[in-house]
């Protein structure tokens, strides 16, 4: 029986465990202690609890698991798991993105400093030991984006538009230490999800992304199966993604890359060699009609894929994240009506009456998600509009 070690499962990693179990693979999982204390653990899975969410703590769990028994594959799930996963893959000679790709994926500054030579278009940037050292650079290039090197979910990513804002942000965040500041790129944002085997792209999808207005860029919806109709832009996007794979030294696994299309063409925001968040893996699978989770598990175990991966969408999926004004939630309306819509696959809320909602500065303040699967892009728009209209949150300020 094959043995797969999954690093971090949580809720969004669960479909990977399910896919492995369907393949008759034994699953072991490094998982956060806190999650294991709350959630119902799977009796079929052997768990290695870790104390907290730091990269190094995940590494402690991974080494315990691989010294107890050498797995046939290691699959890292989210950002904080990638390094521990890649270290184990490298050490055991197992398939994976490569240690190089994992380290670069985990550090936005290494992407900026390392990708230019591979021809990847990126925003102008400065890497400073502290924000104060970037002050004059910022003043010369407004608007700019201040960005931590290794966080996610838009946490700490902030647009600064005027000189007063520069002084304010330097005063407020000057103590954060090493930090990246970038020129702000205007233009619609997309992500690119790809399955890669030994550097070769086996499957790719473009997702159109909607975020909140500046300054915080919280992701609100994702629409999969996007096509660039302008052949020039399409070719530039192909060149950008190919350059990023070269810059990463990407070998095998899932890549999730974000870019904006500015006036001069696509510009990289960031890349990660892990599963995309926001239930995108599910939405991608629904759009292209295959089990992306199973394909990822197969790649991690070095198993052949069941079939050639699709080149045409079979449906148009989206994920939508409801939000509301800050305050205390007093009522949530329309859940049942929305759930019954034929193009709505799932409504899952994580906040309800009595819960406090904070200011929308990062993904964690969103209220839950809705997964949609429609027969055409037009039907998808109608469904998303229906969801936005009917799902209502009442808040007492
Ligand atoms: N240079 C930039 N120009 C314009 N928008 C940016 C820039 N950098 C980041 N953003 C916006 O902020 C979001 C979060 O930044 P990102 O680098 O993806 O960090 P995170 O790891 O938090 O997702 C991006 O998806 C994008 O919308
Ligand atoms: Mg991002």
């Amino acid at each position: 029986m094959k043995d797969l070690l999954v690093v971090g499962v949580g809720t969004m990693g669960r479909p990977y465990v399910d896919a492995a179990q369907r393949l008759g693979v034994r699953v072991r999982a490094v998982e956060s202690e806190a999650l294991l204390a709350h959630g119902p653990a799977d009796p079929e899975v052997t768990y290695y609890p870790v104390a907290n969410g730091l990269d190094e703590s995940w590494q402690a769990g991974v080494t315990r698991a691989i010294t107890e028994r050498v797995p046939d594959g290691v699959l890292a799930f989210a950002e904080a798991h990638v390094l521990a996963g890649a270290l184990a893959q490298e050490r055991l000679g197992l398939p994976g993105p490569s240690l190089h790709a994992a380290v670069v994926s985990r550090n936005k500054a290494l992407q900026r400093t390392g990708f230019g030579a591979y021809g990847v278009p990126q925003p102008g940037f400065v890497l400073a030991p502290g924000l104060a050292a970037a002050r004059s650079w910022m003043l010369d290039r407004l608007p700019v984006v201040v960005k931590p090197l290794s966080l996610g979910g838009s946490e700490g990513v902030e647009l600064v538009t005027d000189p007063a804002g520069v002084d304010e942000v330097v005063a407020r965040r000057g103590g954060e230490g090493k930090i990246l500041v970038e020129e702000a790129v205007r233009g619609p944002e997309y992500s690119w999800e790809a399955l890669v085997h030994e550097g070769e792209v086996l499957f790719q999808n473009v997702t159109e992304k909607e975020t909140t207005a500046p300054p915080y860029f919280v992701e609100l919806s994702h629409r999969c199966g996007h096509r660039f109709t302008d052949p020039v832009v399409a070719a530039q996007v192909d060149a950008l993604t190919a350059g990023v794979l070269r810059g990463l030294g990407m070998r095998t696994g899932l890549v999730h890359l974000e870019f904006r299309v500015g006036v001069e063409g696509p510009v990289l925001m960031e890349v990660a060699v892990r599963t995309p968040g926001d239930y995108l893996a599910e939405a991608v699978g629904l759009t292209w009609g295959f089990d992306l989770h199973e394909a990822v598990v197969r790649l991690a175990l070095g198993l052949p894929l069941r079939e050639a991966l699709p080149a045409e969408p079979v449906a148009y999926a989206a994920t939508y994240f409801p939000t509301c004004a800050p305050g205390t939630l007093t009522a949530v309306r329309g859940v049942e009506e929305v759930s019954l819509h034929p193009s709505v696959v799932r409504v899952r809320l994580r906040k309800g009456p009595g819960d406090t909602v904070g200011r929308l500065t990062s993904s964690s303040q969103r209220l839950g998600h809705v997964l949609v699967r429609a027969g055409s892009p037009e039907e998808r728009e109608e469904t998303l509009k229906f969801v936005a209209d009917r799902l209502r949150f009442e808040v007492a300020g």
Side-chain angles (χ1 to χ4, degrees), residues 155-302:
E155 216 186 316
V157 176
E158 184 175 347
L159 182 81
V160 180
T161 51
D162 55 32
V166 171
D167 287 330
E168 192 276 326
V169 79
V170 167
R172 178 163 44 89
R173 299 184 56 177
E176 276 179 36
K178 187 154 71 172
I179 195 136
L180 199 56
V181 187
E182 304 179 352
E183 288 173 348
V185 178
R186 267 178 213 278
E189 185 164 13
Y190 302 88
S191 65
W192 181 75
E193 289 74 37
L195 278 176
V196 182
H197 179 249
E198 293 299 332
E200 183 203 345
V201 176
L202 302 179
F203 163 80
Q204 53 185 319
N205 165 76
V206 175
T207 301
E208 210 184 331
K209 191 193 288 260
E210 199 187 341
T211 62
T212 54
Y216 293 116
F217 309 107
V218 178
E219 291 164 325
L220 295 178
S221 67
H222 302 275
R223 292 164 173 79
C224 299
H226 180 80
R227 279 251 152 92
F228 290 103
T229 46
D230 180 340
V232 175
V233 175
Q236 288 170 329
V237 169
D238 285 345
L240 180 146
T241 56
V244 170
L245 294 186
R246 277 198 308 277
L248 278 174
M250 179 66 196
R251 297 197 66 111
T252 297
L254 195 47
V255 174
H256 172 61
L257 178 160
E258 297 173 332
F259 60 98
R260 282 189 190 268
V261 178
V263 278
E264 283 163 34
V267 179
L268 179 71
M269 296 283 102
E270 62 159 337
V271 65
V273 292
R274 55 159 168 86
T275 189
D278 284 2
Y279 302 92
L280 256 180
E282 244 179 304
V284 169
L286 288 175
T287 299
W288 299 86
F290 79 111
D291 188 342
L292 180 69
H293 302 103
E294 182 185 314
V296 170
V297 167
R298 284 176 175 273
L299 287 177
L301 288 165

Side-chain angles (χ1 to χ4, degrees), residues 7-19:
V7 190
V9 180
T11 35
M12 278 203 279
R14 186 65 223 183
Y16 293 98
V17 174
D18 294 339

Side-chain angles (χ1 to χ4, degrees), residues 92 114 121-122 165 172 175 192 231 247-248 255 259 298 310 330 353 358 367 369 380-381:
L92 302 173
Q122 301 194 96
R172 178 163 44 89
W192 181 75
L248 278 174
V255 174
F259 60 98
R298 284 176 175 273
T330 53
L367 305 173
H369 74 275
R380 176 171 64 188
E381 285 324 294

Side-chain angles (χ1 to χ4, degrees), residues 285-343:
L286 288 175
T287 299
W288 299 86
F290 79 111
D291 188 342
L292 180 69
H293 302 103
E294 182 185 314
V296 170
V297 167
R298 284 176 175 273
L299 287 177
L301 288 165
L303 295 173
L305 296 180
R306 203 196 288 273
E307 63 215 331
L309 294 174
E312 292 299 326
V314 298
Y316 291 87
T319 54
Y320 167 82
F321 297 84
T323 57
C324 68
T328 303
L329 263 182
T330 53
V332 181
R333 313 223 180 265
V335 176
E336 189 170 324
E337 191 186 2
V338 166
S339 306
L340 290 173
H341 189 288
S343 298

Side-chain angles (χ1 to χ4, degrees), residues 5 34 62 95 130 233 332 372:
L5 181 67
V62 169
V233 175
V332 181
V372 164

